[in-house]
Amino acid sequence: MNATLLAVLAAAMLLTALARRYNLSSPLVLVVAGLGASLIPDVPEVHLNPDLVLFVILPPLLWSAGLESSSVALRRSFRPVAGLAVGLPLATTFAVGYVAYLTVPGLTLPSALALGAIVAPPDAVSATAIGRRLGLPRQIMTLIGGESLLNDATALTVYKVFVAAAVGVATSWGSAVETFLLAVAGGAVVGLALGHLIVYLRSRLDDPLTESAIGLLAPFVVYLVADQIGGSGVLAVVIAALILGHRSARAGYATRLQDEAVWRAVQLVLEAFAFFLIGLQLPAVLGEIRGMPAIVMAGFSLAVLGTVIGVRIAWVYAFTYLPRLLSPRARSREPAPSAAGVFVVAWAGMRGVVSLAAAFGLPTTTLSGAPFPGRAHLVYLTFVVVVGTLLLHGLTLPWIIRKLGVTVDDTHADIAAANEARQRATLAAADRLDTVLAEHEAEGSRTDVHDRVADILRVWNVRRREAAVERLQSTDSNLDESPVAALRRLRLQMLEAEREAYIAERDSGRIDDEVLRTALRELDLEEAVLDRE
């Protein structure tokens, strides 16, 4: 089985590389390829292990997304994000549960509600990937990303409550609400405590390699601690990652460079593995549902899938426009939403591997020893919803974004904001230089060396300020290449020549690989500075 999983991972990475090479949506390519591979005779079946997804794949993916998210932007968009991440999963749970209870044979109300919780949380990996590629406005990306960070916590907590009721654990609506609130509170406390602890530990190390190693272990530790005390591991990981991401600006530059590279690679590997696994589950799903007439299966499949899509559209529109209709304060405080942007958010409801893991993690029997009511139907319907939404929304979302024109170029605004910040930063640097020189003069330790170095630093500081202005002006006109741009271009070519010379020295045997790596790191850091400029 280990060899099979390794083969799946290798195939997933190869397909991801091809999709990225030809600018295709990796999740869609992987799901379709997995479906095709599962139909090939003699291909070994790969059963999805729920613990593998919930305890190995999910925590680092949430952590990586949390590190990239802006806690400031999430606080600014708290109301819409909360509506999507908490209200929408609850509404989907009850709506889908009620429809499934009425249409799917053999389901009890608790097991039907468990299905609603399973398919409630959208996986925004595909939507955010499409949005980044096509240039969705930052506000829409914040909503989609914020929703994906927190909706798993809501849905998985509700899922545990209804699964417990379905297997025969006595419960009431009051105890269910209490369980939900305790899970949220426990996850929040663990996330806050361990998030600040990890920040404190990393700040005392001054060792980028060890700091990154701690960062790799952190999501698993945070998730397990929260899960052990009955809290939401998902919420704990998200909160801790947001804290670490916010405080990373105060970490060393080497740690930031290393963390970014490490987490991008981890995210790419895990996402590829997860989406390929989804497609490969087709034989296992069909094996559990054999014997039912196709027309019956199609009927309740369409009912559940249509409810999942319809509830999201209705919720997004209601939660967007009703507060503005009912509250003058909401109209004055929040800008009018774009109708096209609202539809894009409503249509970005693709489900993912977390839903499948929850379905495969359903118990096989109740406490009385009877089969879990409708388990085969729940697994099948979850697969239909996951694959159906991935293909339907994933294939149409790029066309909808282009057709509605829901794109924006933030480059000029970003450069303008960065220019203003650069002006203030360089002025602060000049003031600090004058202060230090004055302190040296008061102590009688100021020398000609200090004055000469200060003159060089002042020239460098002015050059940085002027470079920001030139970047801003170059976006407003078709001017010839600026001096700073010419310097950057020529220096990059010189760095390329230096790199080739070092490699030639290594290949000829005049230096070894250790010397080469040291030299290339210096060149890489300089190129990173030039690339940022």
Side-chain angles (χ1 to χ4, degrees), residues 199 202-203 206 211 244-257 259:
V199 169
R202 286 176 34 129
S203 68
D206 194 24
E211 291 177 47
L244 201 69
H246 184 70
R247 300 291 289 274
S248 66
R250 299 186 180 277
Y253 79 93
T255 301
R256 282 195 301 275
L257 288 173
D259 277 352

Side-chain angles (χ1 to χ4, degrees), residues 128-397:
T128 53
I130 292 171
R132 288 194 193 99
R133 190 168 72 248
L134 298 180
L136 277 180
R138 191 163 295 147
Q139 175 64 16
I140 294 179
M141 295 296 292
T142 297
L143 293 179
I144 295 174
E147 175 192 12
S148 69
L149 282 174
L150 300 171
N151 59 15
D152 289 336
T154 304
L156 291 177
T157 303
V158 176
Y159 162 81
K160 292 179 181 179
V161 172
F162 289 125
V163 168
V167 299
V169 176
T171 185
S172 64
W173 287 111
S175 63
V177 172
E178 181 181 356
T179 300
F180 177 80
L181 294 177
L182 288 176
V184 172
V189 170
V190 170
L192 287 169
L194 293 185
H196 287 293
L197 177 61
I198 294 167
V199 169
Y200 175 80
L201 291 175
R202 286 176 34 129
S203 68
R204 293 295 182 272
L205 290 175
D206 194 24
D207 181 352
L209 185 60
T210 305
E211 291 177 47
S212 290
I214 291 175
L216 281 172
L217 290 175
F220 304 104
V221 173
V222 173
Y223 191 96
L224 287 174
V225 170
D227 189 71
Q228 288 298 312
I229 68 168
S232 169
V234 172
L235 185 60
V237 168
V238 169
I239 291 176
L242 287 172
I243 292 172
L244 201 69
H246 184 70
R247 300 291 289 274
S248 66
R250 299 186 180 277
Y253 79 93
T255 301
R256 282 195 301 275
L257 288 173
Q258 186 161 273
D259 277 352
E260 181 181 7
V262 166
W263 281 110
R264 283 189 176 182
V266 169
Q267 186 177 23
L268 184 69
V269 170
L270 293 180
E271 287 176 358
F273 185 56
F275 282 105
F276 198 46
L277 273 180
I278 290 175
L280 292 173
Q281 301 314 300
L282 181 60
V285 172
L286 294 179
E288 293 194 23
I289 205 72
R290 285 196 184 109
M292 180 170 290
I295 187 66
V296 176
M297 293 171 59
F300 61 67
S301 298
L302 290 175
V304 170
L305 179 60
T307 303
V308 168
I309 296 172
V311 168
R312 180 177 180 88
I313 294 174
W315 179 273
V316 169
Y317 274 91
F319 209 75
T320 299
Y321 292 110
L322 281 181
R324 297 181 60 82
L325 291 174
L326 301 176
S327 172
R329 185 179 180 187
R331 290 195 296 271
S332 62
R333 289 176 54 185
E334 300 178 5
S338 160
V342 173
F343 183 77
V344 167
V345 174
W347 197 246
M350 290 166 276
R351 269 56 179 178
V353 72
V354 173
S355 293
L356 271 183
F360 279 100
L362 287 168
T364 56
T365 61
T366 64
L367 292 179
S368 66
F372 188 93
R375 186 183 188 278
H377 296 144
L378 301 189
V379 174
Y380 165 75
L381 287 170
T382 302
F383 187 82
V384 168
V385 170
V386 169
V387 175
T389 54
L390 278 173
L391 296 181
L392 175 62
H393 296 317
L395 292 175
T396 58
L397 192 58

Side-chain angles (χ1 to χ4, degrees), residues 364-494:
T364 56
T365 61
T366 64
L367 292 179
S368 66
F372 188 93
R375 186 183 188 278
H377 296 144
L378 301 189
V379 174
Y380 165 75
L381 287 170
T382 302
F383 187 82
V384 168
V385 170
V386 169
V387 175
T389 54
L390 278 173
L391 296 181
L392 175 62
H393 296 317
L395 292 175
T396 58
L397 192 58
W399 178 82
I400 288 172
I401 291 173
R402 295 190 186 97
K403 190 71 175 177
L404 298 180
V406 193
T407 58
V408 64
D409 185 2
D410 292 321
T411 303
H412 185 274
D414 288 347
I415 291 176
N419 178 48
E420 293 180 9
R422 174 65 61 83
Q423 303 302 315
R424 291 189 290 270
T426 52
L427 290 174
D431 292 341
R432 176 66 61 84
L433 177 62
D434 292 338
T435 300
V436 172
L437 291 175
E439 290 174 353
H440 281 300
E441 187 168 2
E443 295 170 357
S445 59
R446 183 168 176 173
T447 65
D448 291 341
V449 172
H450 290 109
D451 291 333
R452 290 197 299 272
V453 170
D455 290 339
I456 295 172
L457 290 174
R458 288 191 183 99
V459 171
W460 176 252
N461 207 36
V462 171
R463 193 202 70 80
R464 285 167 56 81
R465 186 162 61 243
E466 291 175 347
V469 175
E470 288 176 354
R471 284 199 305 275
L472 180 63
Q473 292 173 343
S474 66
T475 64
D476 290 325
S477 63
N478 295 319
L479 296 177
D480 293 334
E481 187 177 34
S482 69
V484 172
L487 183 148
R488 174 182 174 277
R489 178 178 56 79
L490 294 174
R491 182 54 185 154
L492 285 173
Q493 293 177 1
M494 293 169 66

